[in-house]
Amino acid sequence: MRPHTVPPEVEFSSGPAVATKFEAFTRLSPEDRAALADVTQNVRYVEARRDLVAEGDKPRHVYLVLDGWGARYKSLPDGTRQILNFLLPGDFCGVSAYLLREMDHSIGAITKLKVATITPDEMQGLRQGRPRIAEALRWEELVSESIQREWTLNVGLRIAYQRLGHLLVEIYLRLQVVGRASDGRCDFPLTQNDLADATSLTSVHVNRTLQELRRDGLIELERRQLHILDLERLMHASMFNPNYLHFDHAGQHLDAGNHA
Amino acid sequence: MRPHTVPPEVEFSSGPAVATKFEAFTRLSPEDRAALADVTQNVRYVEARRDLVAEGDKPRHVYLVLDGWGARYKSLPDGTRQILNFLLPGDFCGVSAYLLREMDHSIGAITKLKVATITPDEMQGLRQGRPRIAEALRWEELVSESIQREWTLNVGLRIAYQRLGHLLVEIYLRLQVVGRASDGRCDFPLTQNDLADATSLTSVHVNRTLQELRRDGLIELERRQLHILDLERLMHASMFNPNYLHFDHAGQHLDAGNHA
DNA sequence: CGTCTGGTTGATACGACTCAAATTTGGTGG
DNA sequence: CCACCAAATTTGAGTCGTATCAACCAGACG
């Protein structure tokens, strides 16, 4: 166990997260991987709790999260804030946003964030030259839309206990697919306040509900480390159906016929 | 005023909804319009309250709503249902879904639905041959993602009064952009039950909240007709910021240079 | 003319919020 | 290495928005 003076954005290792994730959809050739590595040269860091992009900005770049956690969020005039999704290592954002005049939401860093800055032109080149990556990018967008739908349902239909459980499972599975989680364990840099903003609960209620989840032997959560003690049971308790994540290698048929 | 024996899916007229909507983003050439008309030859009808596609289905076609209202929705094992978005005339669905093994949600008809069935190949052709339409399709997807985010926020952050108000405004503006609404008036085939499923309220509470909105002189709603009496005030009351709809002709720069 | 769907009303219950304060944790500097 | 501080977590008490349950009503339809 690492000393808790180490910042939470410490790297888990296991290669570039995007490539690992894309393998949940298709199989990449060495050339595909090289092309991905190519466009991720331009790195930028954002300090924890600072914004990467703000609502109202003109979208210019595509970003790829290399390390750290971010969040899409939106604020209301009355000061309330809704986290719309978390950005985890391997997640793209703003793939086509350059078509819009201005951002309709903000993106902030939860931990210190390491992102690759990619130009629309580079994306275009990637798409034209590497058809499998083009498909994987499309797939990623579909998954991200699906996640957004599931979040709508999550805040709409589930009570606090299931809602939090559902969120924990989703984060765990998404980290697992990029090689950042295993054995029920993962880094978990979110404060109870973040969880509150993501689940539309108050931090007080999040606190009490987490205690319930702990009391029921479903999770341990301390020192920014999450340990899911019984994934099956937690999934059941929170009515979690993993189908919406589409981590099912649906694009494997693309493997054949491309040896370039 | 039409007699109320006429079914709610009666056509408002004003040309193909998609083309009208795309004009909120870019300017289409006659050839663009012809290409759009070309791929919408294959028409299918779905009776009110039947499903167009069900969760678990293998996605095969792209659909374009020509007339009538539909809804994306998701059900939970406990029988509750969340409407995730409404499909209005001019809305595409499943543009890239063929990449996925199975649907993660269902799409049902609210009223009798008239949809065009488009094959992925036809979409591909449209994209390659008509760059402006390709961009408009991309724009449409971005808007639809943005709407989904706003719904997450809507059910998460707003209280019943604002939440319903917000939904009514959104629907009105979306209908307006396809020429199906004006002067604060539009068809409104949703039952209070549908509104409940869309806002994550109970139909009882929807009923009481609609009465409040009426009492405050913001809306009239009867005989499947919505009349927004004071759009400005309703928008203000529900903290409605139209930026997320991106009806701002962001793609007008594409107009020039294409005379084909 | 009975049936059905959708809308309306009333009474009661509960999940989550609010407000307020105390306690713990992690980081910082003397 | 300990004192100090800010941020995060925890606890308690009271309140409120919305759900639940249960009737009842109105118009559309066969």
Side-chain angles (χ1 to χ4, degrees):
Chain A
M1 183 149 296
R2 60 178 171 66
H4 50 268
T5 47
V6 173
E9 78 274 11
V10 70
E11 304 204 12
F12 225 78
S13 88
S14 105
V18 223
T20 311
K21 184 168 75 169
F22 281 1
E23 292 278 346
F25 170 69
T26 187
R27 192 142 335 130
L28 300 179
S29 67
E31 289 78 8
D32 288 331
R33 290 166 175 280
L36 270 178
D38 243 25
V39 299
T40 55
Q41 305 288 15
N42 208 341
V43 173
R44 179 175 153 195
Y45 290 88
V46 184
E47 288 307 312
R49 306 293 156 183
R50 306 292 298 274
D51 277 349
L52 174 61
V53 295
E55 183 168 349
D57 286 358
K58 166 78 190 155
R60 294 179 193 287
H61 299 289
V62 177
Y63 296 105
L64 167 61
V65 179
L66 300 176
D67 237 299
W69 290 30
R72 295 177 191 270
Y73 69 92
K74 224 161 160 163
S75 306
L76 243 36
D78 64 3
T80 53
R81 183 175 98 124
Q82 175 73 44
I83 289 182
L84 300 163
N85 194 0
F86 290 109
L87 292 173
L88 306 179
D91 286 341
F92 277 91
C93 67
V95 167
S96 309
Y98 64 91
L99 282 173
L100 302 177
R101 269 202 218 293
E102 60 173 64
M103 289 289 293
D104 52 67
H105 64 283
S106 306
I107 300 178
I110 301 281
T111 67
K112 185 176 176 183
L113 205 51
K114 181 184 179 185
V115 298
T117 307
I118 311 173
T119 64
D121 284 350
E122 286 175 306
M123 290 302 289
Q124 198 49 31
L126 203 56
R127 258 195 270 266
Q128 316 234 285
R130 316 278 358 145
R132 262 191 298 209
I133 290 183
E135 298 268 40
L137 282 167
R138 217 94 185 76
W139 166 77
E140 210 226 0
E141 280 182 276
L142 291 177
V143 172
S144 130
E145 284 174 51
S146 177
I147 290 175
Q148 195 65 57
R149 284 190 294 266
E150 188 70 24
W151 277 50
T152 304
L153 182 152
N154 201 32
V155 297
L157 251 39
R158 286 187 255 257
I159 63 172
Y161 188 90
Q162 311 167 329
R163 204 184 297 178
L164 265 172
H166 194 279
L167 179 60
L168 298 183
V169 173
E170 177 184 305
I171 289 174
Y172 175 74
L173 293 179
R174 285 174 61 191
L175 287 175
Q176 194 181 44
V177 90
V178 291
R180 277 351 197 235
S182 61
D183 298 321
R185 291 173 201 275
C186 61
D187 275 358
F188 198 85
L190 303 178
T191 66
Q192 294 184 358
N193 230 312
D194 295 327
L195 286 172
D197 288 346
T199 53
S200 299
L201 300 166
T202 56
S203 59
V204 171
H205 202 54
V206 165
N207 182 282
R208 297 196 230 262
T209 307
L210 285 176
Q211 291 180 45
E212 272 192 81
L213 287 165
R214 283 190 269 244
R215 191 180 319 129
D216 293 347
L218 291 170
I219 63 162
E220 284 171 354
L221 178 53
E222 49 177 0
R223 304 199 172 293
R224 316 274 103 134
Q225 289 282 318
L226 170 65
H227 184 192
I228 297 180
L229 298 168
D230 188 336
L231 184 59
E232 281 307 316
R233 204 150 60 84
L234 184 56
M235 286 173 73
H236 185 76
S238 46
M239 299 195 290
F240 191 101
N241 180 342
N243 70 341
Y244 77 97
L245 292 172
H246 298 285
F247 292 159
D248 54 7
H249 303 275
Q252 269 189 342
H253 65 280
L254 302 169
D255 296 352
N258 185 337
H259 305 278
Chain B
M1 184 147 299
R2 59 177 171 64
H4 50 267
T5 48
V6 172
E9 77 276 11
V10 70
E11 305 204 11
F12 225 78
S13 87
S14 106
V18 222
T20 311
K21 184 167 75 168
F22 280 2
E23 292 278 347
F25 170 70
T26 186
R27 190 141 339 126
L28 300 179
S29 66
E31 290 79 8
D32 289 330
R33 290 166 175 280
L36 270 177
D38 241 26
V39 299
T40 54
Q41 304 289 15
N42 207 341
V43 172
R44 179 175 154 195
Y45 290 88
V46 184
E47 287 306 312
R49 305 292 156 184
R50 304 292 300 274
D51 276 350
L52 175 61
V53 295
E55 182 167 350
D57 286 358
K58 167 75 192 160
R60 293 177 194 289
H61 299 289
V62 177
Y63 296 106
L64 167 60
V65 179
L66 299 175
D67 238 300
W69 290 30
R72 295 179 191 267
Y73 69 92
K74 223 161 163 166
S75 305
L76 244 33
D78 65 2
T80 51
R81 183 174 97 123
Q82 174 74 44
I83 289 183
L84 300 163
N85 195 0
F86 290 109
L87 292 173
L88 306 179
D91 286 341
F92 277 91
C93 66
V95 167
S96 309
Y98 64 90
L99 282 174
L100 303 178
R101 270 204 217 292
E102 60 173 62
M103 290 289 293
D104 52 68
H105 65 283
S106 306
I107 300 176
I110 301 280
T111 66
K112 182 174 176 186
L113 205 52
K114 180 184 179 188
V115 298
T117 308
I118 311 173
T119 63
D121 284 349
E122 286 175 307
M123 290 302 289
Q124 198 50 31
L126 203 56
R127 258 196 271 266
Q128 315 234 285
R130 316 276 1 142
R132 263 191 297 208
I133 290 184
E135 299 266 41
L137 281 167
R138 215 94 187 78
W139 166 77
E140 211 225 0
E141 282 183 274
L142 292 176
V143 172
S144 133
E145 286 173 51
S146 177
I147 290 175
Q148 195 64 56
R149 284 190 294 266
E150 188 70 23
W151 278 50
T152 304
L153 182 152
N154 201 32
V155 296
L157 251 39
R158 286 186 254 258
I159 63 171
Y161 188 89
Q162 309 167 329
R163 205 185 298 179
L164 265 172
H166 194 278
L167 179 61
L168 297 183
V169 173
E170 177 184 305
I171 289 174
Y172 175 74
L173 292 179
R174 286 173 60 190
L175 286 175
Q176 193 181 45
V177 90
V178 291
R180 260 34 181 212
S182 61
D183 297 320
R185 292 173 201 273
C186 59
D187 275 359
F188 199 83
L190 303 178
T191 66
Q192 294 184 355
N193 230 312
D194 295 328
L195 285 171
D197 288 346
T199 53
S200 301
L201 301 165
T202 57
S203 60
V204 172
H205 202 56
V206 165
N207 182 284
R208 296 197 231 260
T209 307
L210 284 176
Q211 290 180 46
E212 272 191 83
L213 287 164
R214 283 190 270 246
R215 192 178 318 129
D216 294 347
L218 291 169
I219 63 163
E220 284 171 356
L221 176 54
E222 50 178 358
R223 307 201 171 290
R224 317 272 104 134
Q225 289 282 319
L226 170 65
H227 184 190
I228 297 180
L229 298 167
D230 188 336
L231 184 59
E232 281 306 315
R233 206 150 58 85
L234 184 55
M235 287 173 71
H236 186 75
S238 46
M239 298 195 291
F240 191 100
N241 180 343
N243 70 341
Y244 77 98
L245 292 172
H246 298 284
F247 292 158
D248 54 5
H249 304 273
Q252 269 190 341
H253 64 282
L254 301 169
D255 295 352
N258 185 336
H259 304 278

